[in-house]
Amino acid sequence: MASRMAVRLGGAVLAGLAALSLAACGSDGGGGSAGAGKKVIGVSVADQKSLFYVAEVAGIKDEAKKLGYEVNITSANNDSSAQVKQVNDLLTKQIGALIFTSQDSTAAAAGVRAANEADVPVVAVDQRPESGQGELATYIATDSVKAAYELCTWMFEQIGKKGEIAILHGVLGSTAEIQRTEGCQKALKETPEIKVVAEETANWDETEAYKATQNILTAHPNLKAVFGESDAMSLGASKAAKASGKKIFSVGIDGFPTMFDGVASGLTQATMAQQPYMMGQLAVRNAVALMEGKGDDIPKEQYQDTVLINKETVTKHKVEDFYGPDAQSFK
């Protein structure tokens, strides 16, 4: 018991430093939530660098304010250990529900188990624990297997269903990385003349993808295309090819504002746009229902579809429909 409390107290220090600005602007601003005796909604996200998570948090804040609830938001800055400590700290503050977007499966499992022990319902967004590692009230996510399958199938058709391609993976072991790899592998099995000549882990990061693609292009000068498992990695791949004086077909998954611009300009060729702002809003509505004892009808899994954004469709959609009213400021 003593060692466990020490971990929680240590997490409080780290969480306070990492989440100070987020928690401050996460309040409803009027103090009405606490005054009405409503429990605070705890929120733990992997980072506030990824535009997906930025948009998710924006949706959380806006919906919580609309419903009159206060939120305490922490960001782990992509540190799994710090996130587990931050979740423990939130639980000591007697939150009524936890909206949880974890850094990886390790943080997901540990955080969910801690919430289960504290009898706090968990609304997981984007990332989930491995089977048997904890109980979720609900799981909200993009159908990443479907998105990757449809995107890779479309890309293969565009390049003539043959040639050399590379795959840039996100954080290994994360739910999105596993599912997006699975989806593209399914498309590959259906297109035998497409040859994967390189696979690199770029951790959802544009700079890492840029460097990885430089090396891949040097080793494989006939490379025709890159499947980036995120928009940032697709953009990094495209910029590396452009800097090398080469033209490749590059696609990603996210629907970032910067990717809309990339597709419109021809720098990149397509993205599957997710709906993180709406997911944040949905997570809050679910959390409130659970806190008010009205969550019996919430589905255990709530998968959201994506929309293919390419040169034909980019002018027909607004990025604000996916990333919220402030999407343009996220660039």
Side-chain angles (χ1 to χ4, degrees):
M1 179 65 74
S3 61
R4 186 173 182 179
M5 183 57 71
V7 169
R8 292 189 174 186
L9 289 173
V13 175
L14 289 174
L17 292 173
L20 183 59
S21 61
L22 289 173
C25 60
S27 169
D28 67 3
S33 313
K38 295 179 180 177
K39 291 235 179 188
V40 173
I41 301 170
V43 181
S44 174
V45 295
D47 67 57
Q48 278 293 273
K49 294 181 288 187
S50 165
L51 297 187
F52 181 99
Y53 299 146
V54 172
E56 177 197 343
V57 167
I60 288 170
K61 290 178 181 177
D62 289 350
E63 192 68 12
K65 184 176 182 179
K66 175 183 173 182
L67 298 179
Y69 275 79
E70 184 179 344
V71 287
N72 186 339
I73 303 172
T74 63
S75 171
N77 197 29
N78 298 123
D79 185 327
S80 179
S81 297
Q83 187 169 37
V84 174
K85 293 175 183 177
Q86 288 175 354
V87 169
N88 279 325
D89 178 59
L90 286 171
L91 294 171
T92 66
K93 296 177 180 177
Q94 299 183 330
I95 55 174
L98 174 67
I99 297 175
F100 191 26
T101 297
S102 62
Q103 160 65 14
D104 53 31
S105 57
T106 299
V112 173
R113 284 198 303 266
N116 290 166
E117 291 173 8
D119 199 26
V120 172
V122 180
V123 176
V125 181
D126 192 51
Q127 181 72 255
R128 74 185 305 168
E130 298 296 331
S131 177
Q133 295 298 310
E135 283 292 323
L136 302 177
T138 188
Y139 174 56
I140 301 168
T142 297
D143 189 340
S144 284
V145 175
K146 180 181 178 183
Y149 170 73
E150 292 179 351
L151 181 61
C152 285
T153 298
W154 178 84
M155 181 176 74
F156 298 161
E157 290 173 351
Q158 302 305 304
I159 63 174
K161 295 187 177 182
K162 61 182 178 180
E164 298 181 352
I165 74 162
I167 298 174
L168 297 177
H169 292 271
V171 175
L172 295 180
S174 64
T175 302
E177 185 274 328
I178 293 170
Q179 293 182 346
R180 292 173 190 182
T181 298
E182 178 184 341
C184 196
Q185 286 297 325
K186 180 181 176 183
L188 283 165
K189 289 178 181 178
E190 297 175 358
T191 321
E193 291 188 69
I194 294 290
K195 183 180 180 182
V196 179
V197 295
E199 295 186 63
E200 297 289 343
T201 301
N203 297 308
W204 315 121
D205 184 79
E206 181 175 322
T207 300
E208 289 189 38
Y210 183 98
K211 294 176 181 177
T213 304
Q214 282 184 316
N215 294 333
I216 292 169
L217 287 169
T218 299
H220 303 281
N222 295 321
L223 191 76
K224 292 182 71 174
V226 171
F227 167 47
E229 292 184 342
S230 75
D231 280 358
M233 295 190 294
S234 175
L235 285 165
S238 295
K239 290 175 182 178
K242 185 176 181 180
S244 301
K246 297 182 179 181
K247 180 68 175 178
I248 61 170
F249 203 93
S250 178
V251 300
I253 297 177
D254 279 315
F256 288 167
T258 48
M259 194 66 163
F260 268 67
D261 291 345
V263 172
S265 70
L267 175 65
T268 56
Q269 281 63 55
T271 180
M272 296 297 276
Q274 301 187 93
Q275 304 181 66
Y277 183 82
M278 180 275 289
M279 291 184 195
Q281 293 178 303
L282 178 59
V284 170
R285 292 196 294 271
N286 287 174
V288 168
L290 290 160
M291 291 163 68
E292 295 181 349
K294 303 173 183 177
D296 291 344
D297 295 332
I298 298 174
K300 286 292 185 182
E301 295 180 337
Q302 301 183 73
Y303 285 106
Q304 312 299 318
D305 283 334
T306 54
V307 176
L308 177 64
I309 304 298
N310 57 24
K311 64 181 180 180
E312 286 81 24
T313 63
V314 69
T315 59
K316 300 176 183 178
H317 295 279
K318 293 181 179 179
V319 71
E320 289 83 358
D321 295 336
F322 303 96
Y323 281 74
D326 297 325
Q328 295 298 334
S329 70
F330 298 162
K331 293 180 182 179

